[in-house]
Amino acid sequence: MAPAKEKTLTIQINSMGTGPNGVPLLFGAPNAPAVISGNVLFENNYEAKGDDITIEYSAIAAVHWTTKSTRTTYSNGKSTTTTTTHHHRAQKVYDQKAFKMALKHAKPHKIDAGKYSSAVNVTINPTFPSSSVGTYGWMTYKVVATLHRKFPSTNVVRESTIWVLNTCLPTPEPGLPVSMSRFNGTFDKVVPYVCVIPSEVLYLAQKVPVTFKAFPTLNNGAPLTVVSAIVKLKQYTSLKAGFETKHDSKDVMNIAMNDGWPVSVQGQPWQRTIVVPLPSAPTLSPTTNADCYVKTHKLKLIMQVRIGNGSKKELRVEMPVVITAPRPPGEPVPSFDLNRYLSCLDSI
């Protein structure tokens, strides 16, 4: 009995881990760009129909959302309302490449039985945005292999999505001075304060120390007391397609910090450091600026406070931050000495 006819087309991508939904994961950095490498494999045990295979790589940011409009017309005393759905689409192509995978053809449009392989090797520009997904916008890296046949509708297509995390963090160097981002203010015109984070550039899944320091109330007034607090990370998304825009925002992190605040003493400063674990992808998307697809972030400390026995009021500190990917696995993460960091607060 003759063996069953079989043909397979597969894409194998070398991976540094597993991304969302099990896709291959790659990390890139300014000194070590991510490289999509692997093989496209085709195998058939009979003379199959087809021509050659094309291999395409793409890095594309895209958006798509819909809006509806209604129109009412009147005829012979009757009204008719029509609803129209409008599709808004745009994309920014960061990179596209195409390669040909030649197969053996003893006859036109026929592929000789055998095993075929073609290497894939594409270096990704480390300044390109990291992969991200959203309801209306996304940044994707893909490798697509297409076996062309006489009628395009019968083409055999295989696709592999690669999750790419590009970081803007430089290679860590020992002995660098402590770098901090400070956000100063005066609450209710009488309580000076400062909120400090290690840097305006944070990375996915980082444990971020957020320090709030309250100074003595001006004119020897009553001290500031924290009743409750919450730390939020808000993600803002802006989409653009032609002259149409769409804006959205969501809380990707929300941590209540109601206990453990210092007991304030009149005439004395006090401070507290909260270590906040940032989410990882895809819950949190890196900051992105792709013209049609923009993501920005703010870290927020929102406190309900009292001055003396006064009524509760809201003290809000909003800190714009840039979210990037971590350094590639195996490399040292940026060193952080919490004690050294806290000692620097005395000079604020």
Side-chain angles (χ1 to χ4, degrees):
M1 183 177 178
K5 292 183 177 180
E6 294 182 354
K7 67 175 183 290
T8 58
L9 175 61
T10 58
I11 301 173
Q12 297 178 347
I13 300 295
N14 299 322
S15 177
M16 301 171 74
T18 303
N21 300 317
V23 303
L25 172 65
L26 296 176
F27 289 85
N31 65 315
V35 177
I36 298 177
S37 64
N39 292 279
V40 173
L41 307 172
F42 179 74
E43 182 175 353
N44 60 317
N45 63 357
Y46 69 103
E47 189 179 63
K49 295 179 181 179
D51 295 308
D52 288 337
I53 292 173
T54 56
I55 303 169
E56 298 171 286
Y57 152 74
S58 63
I60 297 176
V63 299
H64 176 213
W65 76 95
T66 61
T67 55
K68 293 183 183 295
S69 64
T70 57
R71 180 185 178 189
T72 302
T73 58
Y74 299 88
S75 177
N76 299 323
K78 295 182 178 180
S79 63
T80 302
T81 300
T82 304
T83 301
T84 303
T85 300
H86 305 276
H87 290 265
H88 309 286
R89 295 184 176 91
Q91 68 175 25
K92 178 175 181 178
V93 178
Y94 281 87
D95 199 5
Q96 278 185 325
K97 293 182 173 65
F99 316 91
K100 183 177 179 181
M101 178 177 174
L103 307 178
K104 293 181 180 179
H105 307 276
K107 301 175 184 177
H109 309 300
K110 297 286 187 178
I111 305 170
D112 295 356
K115 296 181 180 181
Y116 302 87
S117 176
S118 181
V120 176
N121 193 285
V122 178
T123 299
I124 299 173
N125 188 321
T127 65
F128 288 174
S130 294
S131 297
S132 62
V133 292
T135 306
Y136 308 108
W138 48 90
M139 176 70 198
T140 55
Y141 294 83
K142 288 184 179 181
V143 173
V144 179
T146 304
L147 171 62
H148 295 274
R149 306 178 81 174
K150 188 174 181 179
F151 299 102
S153 61
T154 64
N155 288 350
V156 179
V157 181
R158 298 291 182 268
E159 178 180 293
S160 179
T161 298
I162 299 96
W163 194 264
V164 176
L165 292 178
N166 278 331
T167 185
C168 64
L169 295 174
T171 304
E173 297 181 24
L176 288 178
V178 174
S179 165
M180 296 184 290
S181 290
R182 298 171 171 84
F183 300 86
N184 298 73
T186 301
F187 176 69
D188 216 23
K189 299 182 180 180
V190 294
V191 182
Y193 68 85
V194 64
C195 192
V196 184
I197 55 177
S199 170
E200 66 178 2
V201 180
L202 309 175
Y203 59 87
L204 298 170
Q206 181 180 1
K207 293 181 178 179
V208 181
V210 179
T211 299
F212 180 85
K213 185 173 184 177
F215 294 90
T217 307
L218 301 178
N219 300 321
N220 202 31
L224 182 77
T225 301
V226 178
V227 178
S228 63
I230 191 167
V231 181
K232 290 185 177 184
L233 180 61
K234 195 140 194 168
Q235 181 168 276
Y236 302 87
T237 303
S238 297
L239 312 176
K240 184 178 181 181
F243 295 104
E244 299 293 329
T245 59
K246 181 178 177 64
H247 303 281
D248 191 19
S249 64
K250 66 176 182 178
D251 292 335
V252 293
M253 184 191 73
N254 203 322
I255 301 174
M257 291 289 176
N258 297 330
D259 301 321
W261 289 95
V263 177
S264 57
V265 177
Q266 186 168 352
Q268 296 295 319
W270 61 262
Q271 69 184 47
R272 183 184 181 186
T273 296
I274 305 166
V275 179
V276 178
L278 299 187
S280 58
T283 302
L284 173 59
S285 297
T287 301
T288 303
N289 188 352
D291 298 336
C292 64
Y293 180 52
V294 176
K295 282 188 179 290
T296 57
H297 300 85
K298 278 186 180 179
L299 187 63
K300 301 182 180 184
L301 174 60
I302 305 169
M303 300 184 290
Q304 296 296 318
V305 301
R306 283 194 178 99
I307 297 178
N309 296 319
S311 59
K312 286 194 300 184
K313 295 183 179 181
E314 181 180 275
L315 194 166
R316 175 185 292 256
V317 185
E318 298 194 355
M319 299 166 273
V321 294
V322 173
I323 304 297
T324 188
R327 294 285 303 178
E331 292 195 13
V333 298
S335 59
F336 186 79
D337 185 332
L338 183 58
N339 291 328
R340 186 178 173 210
Y341 162 79
L342 292 177
S343 68
C344 291
L345 292 175
D346 294 335
S347 62
I348 294 174

